[in-house]
Amino acid sequence: MLLRNILRSLFLFYILYSIFNIPVNAFDSSRPNNKFGIHLATPSKEELESAAKLVNTRGGSWGYVTVVIQDNDRNKIKWQEAFDRMRELRLIPIVRLATSPVGGYWAKPTVKEIENWVTFLNSLRWVTKDRYIVLFNEPNHSHEWGGELNPEEYARVSYEYAKSLKSSNPDYFVMLAGLDLAAASNGADLDAYNYVLRMYQEKKELKEVVDGLSSHSYPNPGFRGSPYDSGRTSVRGYEWELEILNELGVTKELPVFITETGWTHNGADTDAIAGYFRTAFETWQLDDRVQAVTPFILSYQGEPFTKFSWQKLNSEEFYNHYYEVEAMPKVMGNPIQIQKGRIVSELPKDLLAQSTYHFQVKLRNDGQAVWTYKENYELSFGFAQDKQGIDYFFANIDGIKPGEERDVDLYIKTSEQAAPRQLMMGLYKNDERIIDEVGWTFQVLPLPSLDIKTSLIPRIRSEKNREFEVQIFNNKEELVFKQKGLKRENGELIIPEVKNVYLKGTFRVVVLSRHYLPRQTFVRFESGQNRANMKALLPLDFYPDGAFSWRDFWELLRNPRLLDLLLP
């Protein structure tokens, strides 16, 4: 009997786990957070830049913008460009999903559209790890829900959206639509309390998939209330909402995102509204429950929302409250961004003593952050063994964006010969490794020699005093070695020690002598003695510039004695 009860309990637990096992968003509210934000009508370059100037000034960084994506505007190129611009401007998007207007109301979202939304949203490279989503807008107005008041249907549909989004990626941070807290039940609208009550009566599981509260905490009545007011129809309306949700069994702490709020104006600047916003933001700043505030709306150049617009009509100027909020001190936010990428290096295994090298390492960014030295990103070696005998430095990483691959210069200088060792190369931010390290095993060997066999045409007589110069270039056509004043011995140029090359690497070797055209060959260096055969040098560089051209004929006319070079 006891065994049967145990098995029954385990089976029940399995069923409940299967039903409610929805990925949990690991939201971290302890990180530095800039609460300042603004609601946008469009994600245009101009609006995003104005938003950044508003919310990321006076010490601030990583403020918020609320944007709306309609189902007929799921354009990946457009929205990825917008997200990338937000990333550069350090703006965190809060995305409200929307349908499309049909006549005098907004169409109801359908479950059939969920897959299309999930596919589109997952196709974007998001700005931060947390993907903030708001499911539609003020459904306690019938014109926002297909001309109907149907909180039960909204609850069912929203649950399916939230469940599908979070199942596809646990980084989605889902919020239900902000409600009009001042609406009264009159047939066209439904009181917010009754709307929320019927929602949770219909779908108790909503509390399992909702991560935060999207609140429209407007200063009512008439968008003219005092910033000092409290209660349901004030700038602190979210407090009333949290109390109601707690009464309905939503016991987990919900971060608050005030995605709409603000006072209306009559088109004239008023110091009063500017002061209201300062007071309100000071209040919200002191409330740890408030994660972000995005007043409605930065710029709306037409009816019906010109009275909410922070930007003046048909002007590039803003109302006073824009500049008042811009001047307020802010916090340098630090949101979590996914760090993902790879280091690709093909560094040689055999270096030489007393040499300097210039290599390049490929660094690919597949994450969310822009990698730049200004944010303390750097490539570095974590030495697994003693680094004695070798110095190095990497060039600054300058703005590698997600999706980009860039070559980063690496400079190395060796001293004495050294046994094989291993270095671990990694990408670091503030001395913390953020992507996997790549190992490089190498040794430092003695310098090799190079003997170059060459001749002069048509010279038969020996020219003991003729001097030669040897230049050696790497595969990037950088001059890595040069030696002047060499003289032939038994038809050979002998260089006893060649620096700055590496073994098993192929280098371009050039021989020069005054009035002779240069000759070149390629040498794959090995340890010990290396030999190269060079074609005979021709005495046709009368105008000594390393090339054969009309200038050589002109120089020969000016100095006929150069003809001696053509005699045997």
Side-chain angles (χ1 to χ4, degrees):
M1 187 68 173
L2 178 62
L3 180 60
R4 182 183 300 172
N5 289 336
I6 292 174
L7 291 174
R8 184 180 299 163
S9 299
L10 289 173
F11 178 74
L12 179 60
F13 172 80
Y14 172 77
I15 294 297
L16 291 174
Y17 179 83
S18 300
I19 294 174
F20 295 112
N21 182 33
I22 298 170
V24 176
N25 184 287
F27 178 75
D28 185 358
S29 60
S30 65
R31 300 175 70 87
N33 176 50
N34 178 12
K35 298 182 182 183
F36 285 81
I38 192 70
H39 200 299
L40 303 183
T42 67
S44 67
K45 178 177 182 291
E46 294 74 19
E47 287 202 32
L48 288 170
E49 289 178 350
S50 295
K53 291 176 183 177
L54 172 68
V55 305
N56 286 342
T57 49
R58 304 300 186 269
S61 182
W62 291 109
Y64 293 82
V65 287
T66 294
V67 294
V68 180
I69 303 180
Q70 295 182 203
D71 57 8
N72 59 358
D73 190 28
R74 293 187 290 235
N75 183 322
K76 179 182 177 181
I77 294 176
K78 168 188 172 178
W79 285 101
Q80 189 59 67
E81 287 179 353
F83 274 25
D84 290 342
R85 193 169 292 118
M86 293 178 202
R87 190 188 330 275
E88 294 178 26
L89 295 171
R90 299 185 184 180
L91 295 170
I92 302 172
I94 302 170
V95 176
R96 174 163 70 79
L97 307 189
T99 56
S100 305
V102 179
Y105 54 81
W106 287 82
K108 291 192 293 185
T110 64
V111 173
K112 290 189 296 185
E113 275 295 300
I114 292 177
E115 183 177 351
N116 293 330
W117 274 114
V118 171
T119 300
F120 168 70
L121 294 171
N122 283 339
S123 72
L124 301 175
R125 180 178 281 112
W126 285 69
V127 180
T128 61
K129 181 177 183 295
D130 289 316
R131 304 177 175 191
Y132 299 109
I133 296 289
V134 178
L135 297 176
F136 316 111
N137 184 59
E138 295 189 348
N140 61 326
H141 289 304
S142 59
H143 68 265
E144 294 280 358
W145 195 258
E148 299 178 12
L149 291 171
N150 195 334
E152 291 80 12
E153 184 179 38
Y154 175 80
R156 293 192 299 270
V157 170
S158 296
Y159 175 76
E160 295 301 325
Y161 270 80
K163 185 174 67 171
S164 295
L165 285 167
K166 295 169 78 67
S167 294
S168 73
N169 192 311
D171 292 336
Y172 282 108
F173 185 100
V174 179
M175 294 173 275
L176 300 180
L179 299 178
D180 184 347
L181 302 182
S185 299
N186 57 18
D189 307 320
L190 184 60
D191 166 86
Y193 175 80
N194 288 307
Y195 198 94
V196 174
L197 177 64
R198 288 169 58 179
M199 271 174 31
Y200 279 91
Q201 286 177 339
E202 173 67 21
K203 202 71 178 174
K204 296 180 177 61
E205 299 92 330
L206 273 176
K207 61 186 178 182
E208 305 296 333
V209 297
V210 173
D211 300 301
L213 172 66
S214 172
S215 177
H216 290 182
S217 293
Y218 278 104
N220 282 304
F223 310 105
R224 293 286 185 171
S226 168
Y228 298 102
D229 289 344
S230 61
R232 171 176 171 174
T233 58
S234 73
V235 294
R236 293 164 59 186
Y238 61 89
E239 295 177 331
W240 175 84
E241 292 179 275
L242 292 174
E243 290 175 3
I244 297 304
L245 291 172
N246 187 63
E247 291 177 10
L248 295 175
V250 182
T251 56
K252 65 180 177 181
E253 294 184 5
L254 296 179
V256 175
F257 291 74
I258 302 176
T259 52
E260 288 190 27
T261 187
W263 286 264
T264 57
H265 56 77
N266 59 7
D269 270 322
T270 65
D271 291 333
I273 292 179
Y276 288 169
F277 271 110
R278 171 173 283 276
T279 300
F281 267 105
E282 288 172 346
T283 300
W284 295 319
Q285 287 282 79
L286 295 174
D287 193 334
D288 291 338
R289 295 170 297 182
V290 177
Q291 180 75 11
V293 183
T294 62
F296 187 81
I297 186 169
L298 178 67
S299 178
Y300 208 93
Q301 299 296 301
E303 295 298 338
F305 300 124
T306 54
K307 61 184 179 181
F308 286 99
S309 179
W310 289 39
Q311 185 171 9
K312 295 181 178 181
L313 189 63
N314 301 321
S315 172
E316 295 183 358
E317 295 184 358
F318 293 86
Y319 292 104
N320 285 347
H321 46 283
Y322 176 96
Y323 303 106
E324 185 73 20
V325 173
E326 178 190 36
M328 294 184 68
K330 302 176 182 71
V331 173
M332 182 171 288
N334 184 25
I336 298 175
Q337 291 183 291
I338 294 173
Q339 300 285 9
K340 183 179 179 182
R342 53 194 171 93
I343 301 170
V344 178
S345 67
E346 297 180 357
L347 301 178
K349 297 181 179 180
D350 299 316
L351 303 184
L352 301 177
Q354 305 170 36
S355 296
T356 60
Y357 298 97
H358 174 205
F359 300 125
Q360 288 184 321
V361 175
K362 288 190 180 298
L363 185 58
R364 178 168 180 80
N365 185 351
D366 293 314
Q368 294 177 327
V370 177
W371 294 341
T372 171
Y373 71 94
K374 298 175 183 177
E375 295 289 324
N376 298 322
Y377 286 90
E378 63 175 351
L379 277 172
S380 181
F381 283 121
F383 282 81
Q385 299 177 20
D386 184 11
K387 70 173 185 177
Q388 184 178 0
I390 181 171
D391 291 314
Y392 78 94
F393 75 88
F394 286 95
N396 287 336
I397 298 173
D398 190 14
I400 304 180
K401 301 175 183 178
E404 288 186 347
E405 183 175 277
R406 195 88 59 82
D407 288 330
V408 180
D409 293 316
L410 166 62
Y411 300 90
I412 292 178
K413 182 178 180 179
T414 62
S415 53
E416 70 275 6
Q417 181 180 345
R421 70 184 74 178
Q422 184 179 55
L423 305 184
M424 302 303 294
M425 186 190 317
L427 178 66
Y428 294 81
K429 180 183 181 183
N430 296 324
D431 297 325
E432 179 182 351
R433 180 168 55 85
I434 61 173
I435 63 174
D436 291 339
E437 293 179 315
V438 174
W440 174 39
T441 301
F442 70 99
Q443 58 185 339
V444 180
L445 300 174
L447 294 171
S449 64
L450 176 61
D451 298 347
I452 304 172
K453 186 175 182 61
T454 188
S455 61
L456 304 175
I457 290 181
R459 283 304 210 202
I460 297 175
R461 293 171 296 167
S462 172
E463 287 192 351
K464 293 183 178 180
N465 294 325
R466 173 164 287 278
E467 293 186 347
F468 295 81
E469 178 180 333
V470 173
Q471 298 178 353
I472 300 178
F473 296 83
N474 64 15
N475 58 3
K476 294 186 285 294
E477 287 303 311
E478 297 171 327
L479 178 64
V480 298
F481 179 85
K482 179 170 68 174
Q483 187 163 337
K484 296 182 177 181
L486 293 170
K487 296 181 180 180
R488 290 196 306 161
E489 299 179 13
N490 300 321
E492 291 187 340
L493 301 173
I494 299 174
I495 305 175
E497 292 184 331
V498 180
K499 300 178 180 180
N500 310 330
V501 300
Y502 52 86
L503 302 189
K504 299 181 176 59
T506 300
F507 293 78
R508 185 166 67 92
V509 178
V510 180
V511 174
L512 305 96
S513 187
R514 185 172 177 79
H515 296 307
Y516 283 81
L517 292 175
R519 284 294 192 182
Q520 70 175 15
T521 190
F522 290 88
V523 175
R524 186 175 189 269
F525 281 90
E526 302 289 349
S527 61
Q529 186 181 43
N530 293 269
R531 302 188 65 85
N533 291 319
M534 194 77 68
K535 291 183 179 180
L537 276 68
L538 302 176
L540 299 176
D541 193 16
F542 304 119
Y543 182 84
D545 61 356
F548 184 56
S549 67
W550 63 269
R551 290 175 176 167
D552 295 301
F553 292 103
W554 179 252
E555 188 67 22
L556 186 61
L557 291 174
R558 292 179 63 238
N559 187 4
R561 286 181 299 177
L562 291 173
L563 287 172
D564 289 349
L565 293 168
L566 300 175
L567 300 177

